[in-house]
Amino acid sequence: MQNGRLAIIMLGPPGAGKGTQARRLSKALQRPHVSTGDMLREALRDDTELGRKARSFMEAGDLVPDELVDAIVTERLEREDCGGGFILDGYPRTIHQVGVLQGLLEKNGKRILTIGVEVRDSVLIQRLSSRWTCPGCGKMFNTAMDPDKAEGRCDACGE
């Protein structure tokens, strides 16, 4: 299958490996990996307007409202590097977001390939219970699969 103008949508629960597989596909297909989680963590770290709006939801462990996520995804997918296609991870999560994404993809003439990642609940629990996020820079790491090298400190910023 030709990969030009193809939107690959990765779906599955947190901890299923969507991001890992999306990064591999991104490298193989030479298309950008667009992760809503990464974009939100970057907005928090850079203290952007979106980051400030999203902070209270994220710190409470809640999903960021659709309208905020829609805005950041729309802006990102309209960048030049996504013109030939992309791998999307973490979006859509709601029926509303499906509608927004469908409109964007139809407007830009993208073909869609959806990949569902399924993992046993016991594996998800093990993966998620080992996942940590640095409070300083937002880098995520997994103590079981990819432990920090600085023994309790973030490899990226030292927090």
mmCIF file of all heavy atoms in Angstrom, residues 23 35-46 55 58 131-142 153-159:
data_model
loop_
_atom_site.group_PDB
_atom_site.id
_atom_site.type_symbol
_atom_site.label_atom_id
_atom_site.label_comp_id
_atom_site.label_asym_id
_atom_site.label_seq_id
_atom_site.Cartn_x
_atom_site.Cartn_y
_atom_site.Cartn_z
ATOM 1 N N ARG A 23 5.725 5.310 16.854
ATOM 2 C CA ARG A 23 7.098 5.760 16.586
ATOM 3 C C ARG A 23 7.775 4.859 15.562
ATOM 4 O O ARG A 23 8.500 5.334 14.682
ATOM 5 C CB ARG A 23 7.899 5.823 17.883
ATOM 6 C CG ARG A 23 7.576 7.039 18.740
ATOM 7 C CD ARG A 23 8.492 7.172 19.951
ATOM 8 N NE ARG A 23 8.286 6.126 20.946
ATOM 9 C CZ ARG A 23 7.300 6.108 21.847
ATOM 10 N NH1 ARG A 23 6.434 7.107 21.879
ATOM 11 N NH2 ARG A 23 7.203 5.140 22.720
ATOM 12 N N SER A 35 1.331 12.864 18.587
ATOM 13 C CA SER A 35 0.819 12.336 19.846
ATOM 14 C C SER A 35 0.181 13.455 20.651
ATOM 15 O O SER A 35 0.848 14.429 21.002
ATOM 16 C CB SER A 35 1.964 11.716 20.651
ATOM 17 O OG SER A 35 1.587 11.519 21.997
ATOM 18 N N THR A 36 -1.109 13.308 20.953
ATOM 19 C CA THR A 36 -1.777 14.344 21.742
ATOM 20 C C THR A 36 -1.156 14.442 23.135
ATOM 21 O O THR A 36 -1.014 15.535 23.669
ATOM 22 C CB THR A 36 -3.291 14.100 21.853
ATOM 23 O OG1 THR A 36 -3.518 12.785 22.334
ATOM 24 C CG2 THR A 36 -3.967 14.281 20.517
ATOM 25 N N GLY A 37 -0.783 13.311 23.717
ATOM 26 C CA GLY A 37 -0.147 13.342 25.036
ATOM 27 C C GLY A 37 1.141 14.143 25.011
ATOM 28 O O GLY A 37 1.379 14.993 25.884
ATOM 29 N N ASP A 38 1.978 13.890 24.000
ATOM 30 C CA ASP A 38 3.238 14.635 23.876
ATOM 31 C C ASP A 38 2.973 16.126 23.665
ATOM 32 O O ASP A 38 3.654 16.971 24.252
ATOM 33 C CB ASP A 38 4.072 14.100 22.709
ATOM 34 C CG ASP A 38 4.655 12.721 22.964
ATOM 35 O OD1 ASP A 38 4.611 12.239 24.125
ATOM 36 O OD2 ASP A 38 5.153 12.112 21.994
ATOM 37 N N MET A 39 1.974 16.440 22.833
ATOM 38 C CA MET A 39 1.676 17.851 22.573
ATOM 39 C C MET A 39 1.182 18.551 23.836
ATOM 40 O O MET A 39 1.566 19.698 24.103
ATOM 41 C CB MET A 39 0.644 17.980 21.456
ATOM 42 C CG MET A 39 1.195 17.615 20.096
ATOM 43 S SD MET A 39 0.049 17.947 18.730
ATOM 44 C CE MET A 39 -1.242 16.759 19.028
ATOM 45 N N LEU A 40 0.354 17.881 24.625
ATOM 46 C CA LEU A 40 -0.145 18.484 25.865
ATOM 47 C C LEU A 40 0.978 18.649 26.883
ATOM 48 O O LEU A 40 1.079 19.694 27.540
ATOM 49 C CB LEU A 40 -1.292 17.654 26.435
ATOM 50 C CG LEU A 40 -2.606 17.774 25.672
ATOM 51 C CD1 LEU A 40 -3.579 16.696 26.115
ATOM 52 C CD2 LEU A 40 -3.206 19.163 25.836
ATOM 53 N N ARG A 41 1.845 17.637 27.019
ATOM 54 C CA ARG A 41 2.978 17.770 27.948
ATOM 55 C C ARG A 41 3.907 18.902 27.513
ATOM 56 O O ARG A 41 4.411 19.662 28.341
ATOM 57 C CB ARG A 41 3.739 16.441 28.050
ATOM 58 C CG ARG A 41 2.998 15.395 28.887
ATOM 59 C CD ARG A 41 3.813 14.135 29.065
ATOM 60 N NE ARG A 41 3.909 13.353 27.846
ATOM 61 C CZ ARG A 41 2.990 12.484 27.430
ATOM 62 N NH1 ARG A 41 1.899 12.282 28.140
ATOM 63 N NH2 ARG A 41 3.165 11.809 26.315
ATOM 64 N N GLU A 42 4.115 19.052 26.209
ATOM 65 C CA GLU A 42 4.945 20.141 25.691
ATOM 66 C C GLU A 42 4.299 21.499 25.995
ATOM 67 O O GLU A 42 4.984 22.446 26.389
ATOM 68 C CB GLU A 42 5.122 19.970 24.182
ATOM 69 C CG GLU A 42 5.992 21.017 23.535
ATOM 70 C CD GLU A 42 6.147 20.769 22.044
ATOM 71 O OE1 GLU A 42 6.412 19.622 21.638
ATOM 72 O OE2 GLU A 42 5.996 21.747 21.275
ATOM 73 N N ALA A 43 2.985 21.584 25.831
ATOM 74 C CA ALA A 43 2.280 22.836 26.129
ATOM 75 C C ALA A 43 2.396 23.188 27.606
ATOM 76 O O ALA A 43 2.550 24.362 27.966
ATOM 77 C CB ALA A 43 0.810 22.724 25.713
ATOM 78 N N LEU A 44 2.347 22.181 28.479
ATOM 79 C CA LEU A 44 2.537 22.418 29.914
ATOM 80 C C LEU A 44 3.953 22.906 30.190
ATOM 81 O O LEU A 44 4.162 23.881 30.911
ATOM 82 C CB LEU A 44 2.306 21.130 30.706
ATOM 83 C CG LEU A 44 0.880 20.715 30.979
ATOM 84 C CD1 LEU A 44 0.854 19.351 31.666
ATOM 85 C CD2 LEU A 44 0.169 21.730 31.837
ATOM 86 N N ARG A 45 4.919 22.194 29.640
ATOM 87 C CA ARG A 45 6.332 22.527 29.872
ATOM 88 C C ARG A 45 6.658 23.931 29.374
ATOM 89 O O ARG A 45 7.370 24.690 30.019
ATOM 90 C CB ARG A 45 7.225 21.485 29.185
ATOM 91 C CG ARG A 45 8.711 21.687 29.456
ATOM 92 C CD ARG A 45 9.596 20.703 28.701
ATOM 93 N NE ARG A 45 9.465 20.878 27.271
ATOM 94 C CZ ARG A 45 9.032 19.938 26.435
ATOM 95 N NH1 ARG A 45 8.674 18.761 26.870
ATOM 96 N NH2 ARG A 45 8.934 20.185 25.143
ATOM 97 N N ASP A 46 6.116 24.284 28.191
ATOM 98 C CA ASP A 46 6.400 25.588 27.588
ATOM 99 C C ASP A 46 5.488 26.693 28.115
ATOM 100 O O ASP A 46 5.623 27.846 27.713
ATOM 101 C CB ASP A 46 6.273 25.509 26.067
ATOM 102 C CG ASP A 46 7.308 24.595 25.440
ATOM 103 O OD1 ASP A 46 8.296 24.239 26.128
ATOM 104 O OD2 ASP A 46 7.127 24.217 24.264
ATOM 105 N N ARG A 55 -3.711 22.483 32.271
ATOM 106 C CA ARG A 55 -3.002 22.072 33.489
ATOM 107 C C ARG A 55 -3.931 21.552 34.594
ATOM 108 O O ARG A 55 -3.694 20.486 35.157
ATOM 109 C CB ARG A 55 -2.160 23.219 34.037
ATOM 110 C CG ARG A 55 -1.358 22.838 35.283
ATOM 111 C CD ARG A 55 -0.469 23.967 35.778
ATOM 112 N NE ARG A 55 0.396 24.525 34.770
ATOM 113 C CZ ARG A 55 1.560 23.992 34.374
ATOM 114 N NH1 ARG A 55 1.977 22.884 34.907
ATOM 115 N NH2 ARG A 55 2.280 24.578 33.444
ATOM 116 N N MET A 58 -5.311 18.079 33.745
ATOM 117 C CA MET A 58 -4.281 17.041 33.750
ATOM 118 C C MET A 58 -3.809 16.738 35.172
ATOM 119 O O MET A 58 -3.621 15.576 35.532
ATOM 120 C CB MET A 58 -3.105 17.458 32.851
ATOM 121 C CG MET A 58 -3.514 17.527 31.381
ATOM 122 S SD MET A 58 -2.223 18.190 30.315
ATOM 123 C CE MET A 58 -1.067 16.842 30.302
ATOM 124 N N ARG A 131 4.780 3.111 34.982
ATOM 125 C CA ARG A 131 4.965 4.321 34.179
ATOM 126 C C ARG A 131 5.069 5.535 35.094
ATOM 127 O O ARG A 131 4.269 5.716 36.002
ATOM 128 C CB ARG A 131 3.781 4.482 33.229
ATOM 129 C CG ARG A 131 3.938 5.654 32.277
ATOM 130 C CD ARG A 131 2.724 5.813 31.406
ATOM 131 N NE ARG A 131 2.726 4.852 30.319
ATOM 132 C CZ ARG A 131 1.804 4.823 29.357
ATOM 133 N NH1 ARG A 131 0.809 5.676 29.371
ATOM 134 N NH2 ARG A 131 1.876 3.929 28.407
ATOM 135 N N TRP A 132 6.045 6.371 34.818
ATOM 136 C CA TRP A 132 6.259 7.599 35.584
ATOM 137 C C TRP A 132 6.433 8.768 34.637
ATOM 138 O O TRP A 132 6.912 8.605 33.521
ATOM 139 C CB TRP A 132 7.506 7.468 36.465
ATOM 140 C CG TRP A 132 7.338 6.423 37.516
ATOM 141 C CD1 TRP A 132 7.660 5.097 37.421
ATOM 142 C CD2 TRP A 132 6.761 6.593 38.796
ATOM 143 N NE1 TRP A 132 7.320 4.440 38.571
ATOM 144 C CE2 TRP A 132 6.773 5.340 39.442
ATOM 145 C CE3 TRP A 132 6.237 7.689 39.472
ATOM 146 C CZ2 TRP A 132 6.285 5.151 40.717
ATOM 147 C CZ3 TRP A 132 5.752 7.497 40.749
ATOM 148 C CH2 TRP A 132 5.783 6.247 41.357
ATOM 149 N N THR A 133 6.059 9.947 35.110
ATOM 150 C CA THR A 133 6.238 11.176 34.346
ATOM 151 C C THR A 133 7.030 12.152 35.191
ATOM 152 O O THR A 133 6.697 12.394 36.352
ATOM 153 C CB THR A 133 4.868 11.796 33.985
ATOM 154 O OG1 THR A 133 4.100 10.842 33.261
ATOM 155 C CG2 THR A 133 5.045 13.044 33.138
ATOM 156 N N CYS A 134 8.066 12.723 34.602
ATOM 157 C CA CYS A 134 8.886 13.697 35.317
ATOM 158 C C CYS A 134 8.076 14.964 35.566
ATOM 159 O O CYS A 134 7.514 15.529 34.622
ATOM 160 C CB CYS A 134 10.129 14.027 34.498
ATOM 161 S SG CYS A 134 11.096 15.376 35.213
ATOM 162 N N PRO A 135 8.026 15.437 36.816
ATOM 163 C CA PRO A 135 7.290 16.672 37.094
ATOM 164 C C PRO A 135 8.001 17.909 36.546
ATOM 165 O O PRO A 135 7.383 18.961 36.384
ATOM 166 C CB PRO A 135 7.222 16.719 38.622
ATOM 167 C CG PRO A 135 8.379 15.901 39.079
ATOM 168 C CD PRO A 135 8.594 14.846 38.027
ATOM 169 N N GLY A 136 9.280 17.784 36.239
ATOM 170 C CA GLY A 136 10.028 18.927 35.730
ATOM 171 C C GLY A 136 9.833 19.173 34.250
ATOM 172 O O GLY A 136 9.532 20.286 33.822
ATOM 173 N N CYS A 137 9.992 18.110 33.439
ATOM 174 C CA CYS A 137 9.945 18.297 31.988
ATOM 175 C C CYS A 137 8.850 17.504 31.296
ATOM 176 O O CYS A 137 8.626 17.677 30.102
ATOM 177 C CB CYS A 137 11.295 17.936 31.367
ATOM 178 S SG CYS A 137 11.685 16.165 31.398
ATOM 179 N N GLY A 138 8.188 16.608 32.022
ATOM 180 C CA GLY A 138 7.103 15.844 31.431
ATOM 181 C C GLY A 138 7.529 14.576 30.711
ATOM 182 O O GLY A 138 6.695 13.868 30.161
ATOM 183 N N LYS A 139 8.831 14.275 30.720
ATOM 184 C CA LYS A 139 9.296 13.043 30.064
ATOM 185 C C LYS A 139 8.693 11.836 30.762
ATOM 186 O O LYS A 139 8.642 11.760 31.976
ATOM 187 C CB LYS A 139 10.819 12.951 30.115
ATOM 188 C CG LYS A 139 11.330 11.671 29.459
ATOM 189 C CD LYS A 139 12.835 11.539 29.555
ATOM 190 C CE LYS A 139 13.225 10.268 28.812
ATOM 191 N NZ LYS A 139 14.216 9.501 29.455
ATOM 192 N N MET A 140 8.235 10.869 29.949
ATOM 193 C CA MET A 140 7.675 9.644 30.508
ATOM 194 C C MET A 140 8.710 8.534 30.417
ATOM 195 O O MET A 140 9.466 8.459 29.456
ATOM 196 C CB MET A 140 6.411 9.245 29.751
ATOM 197 C CG MET A 140 5.272 10.208 29.986
ATOM 198 S SD MET A 140 3.767 9.750 29.117
ATOM 199 C CE MET A 140 3.368 8.221 29.910
ATOM 200 N N PHE A 141 8.735 7.688 31.432
ATOM 201 C CA PHE A 141 9.588 6.508 31.386
ATOM 202 C C PHE A 141 8.918 5.398 32.159
ATOM 203 O O PHE A 141 7.953 5.615 32.886
ATOM 204 C CB PHE A 141 10.998 6.801 31.898
ATOM 205 C CG PHE A 141 11.069 7.277 33.324
ATOM 206 C CD1 PHE A 141 11.356 6.391 34.345
ATOM 207 C CD2 PHE A 141 10.865 8.608 33.640
ATOM 208 C CE1 PHE A 141 11.436 6.826 35.664
ATOM 209 C CE2 PHE A 141 10.942 9.051 34.955
ATOM 210 C CZ PHE A 141 11.226 8.151 35.968
ATOM 211 N N ASN A 142 9.387 4.185 31.960
ATOM 212 C CA ASN A 142 8.790 3.014 32.575
ATOM 213 C C ASN A 142 9.874 2.306 33.380
ATOM 214 O O ASN A 142 10.873 1.871 32.817
ATOM 215 C CB ASN A 142 8.211 2.088 31.504
ATOM 216 C CG ASN A 142 7.424 0.955 32.094
ATOM 217 O OD1 ASN A 142 7.959 0.151 32.847
ATOM 218 N ND2 ASN A 142 6.159 0.880 31.747
ATOM 219 N N ARG A 153 16.217 9.911 39.173
ATOM 220 C CA ARG A 153 16.206 11.258 38.605
ATOM 221 C C ARG A 153 15.919 11.156 37.100
ATOM 222 O O ARG A 153 16.298 10.186 36.465
ATOM 223 C CB ARG A 153 17.545 11.944 38.816
ATOM 224 C CG ARG A 153 17.850 12.237 40.286
ATOM 225 C CD ARG A 153 18.915 13.310 40.342
ATOM 226 N NE ARG A 153 19.022 14.160 41.472
ATOM 227 C CZ ARG A 153 18.079 14.858 42.080
ATOM 228 N NH1 ARG A 153 16.856 14.754 41.698
ATOM 229 N NH2 ARG A 153 18.334 15.640 43.085
ATOM 230 N N CYS A 154 15.273 12.171 36.590
ATOM 231 C CA CYS A 154 14.953 12.220 35.165
ATOM 232 C C CYS A 154 16.242 12.311 34.355
ATOM 233 O O CYS A 154 17.099 13.151 34.628
ATOM 234 C CB CYS A 154 14.056 13.420 34.880
ATOM 235 S SG CYS A 154 13.677 13.647 33.130
ATOM 236 N N ASP A 155 16.345 11.456 33.345
ATOM 237 C CA ASP A 155 17.519 11.479 32.465
ATOM 238 C C ASP A 155 17.594 12.767 31.643
ATOM 239 O O ASP A 155 18.678 13.176 31.243
ATOM 240 C CB ASP A 155 17.480 10.291 31.495
ATOM 241 C CG ASP A 155 17.536 8.953 32.210
ATOM 242 O OD1 ASP A 155 18.075 8.886 33.329
ATOM 243 O OD2 ASP A 155 17.018 7.967 31.650
ATOM 244 N N ALA A 156 16.432 13.373 31.386
ATOM 245 C CA ALA A 156 16.406 14.554 30.526
ATOM 246 C C ALA A 156 16.740 15.844 31.265
ATOM 247 O O ALA A 156 17.511 16.661 30.775
ATOM 248 C CB ALA A 156 15.037 14.687 29.859
ATOM 249 N N CYS A 157 16.172 16.021 32.488
ATOM 250 C CA CYS A 157 16.362 17.312 33.164
ATOM 251 C C CYS A 157 16.942 17.196 34.559
ATOM 252 O O CYS A 157 17.254 18.218 35.174
ATOM 253 C CB CYS A 157 15.042 18.083 33.214
ATOM 254 S SG CYS A 157 13.846 17.434 34.421
ATOM 255 N N GLY A 158 17.063 15.978 35.098
ATOM 256 C CA GLY A 158 17.652 15.790 36.414
ATOM 257 C C GLY A 158 16.705 15.966 37.593
ATOM 258 O O GLY A 158 17.105 15.835 38.735
ATOM 259 N N GLU A 159 15.441 16.252 37.331
ATOM 260 C CA GLU A 159 14.440 16.445 38.411
ATOM 261 C C GLU A 159 14.324 15.185 39.250
ATOM 262 O O GLU A 159 14.381 14.081 38.748
ATOM 263 C CB GLU A 159 13.091 16.818 37.796
ATOM 264 C CG GLU A 159 11.987 17.028 38.789
ATOM 265 C CD GLU A 159 11.995 18.383 39.477
ATOM 266 O OE1 GLU A 159 12.586 19.319 38.919
ATOM 267 O OE2 GLU A 159 11.438 18.497 40.566
#
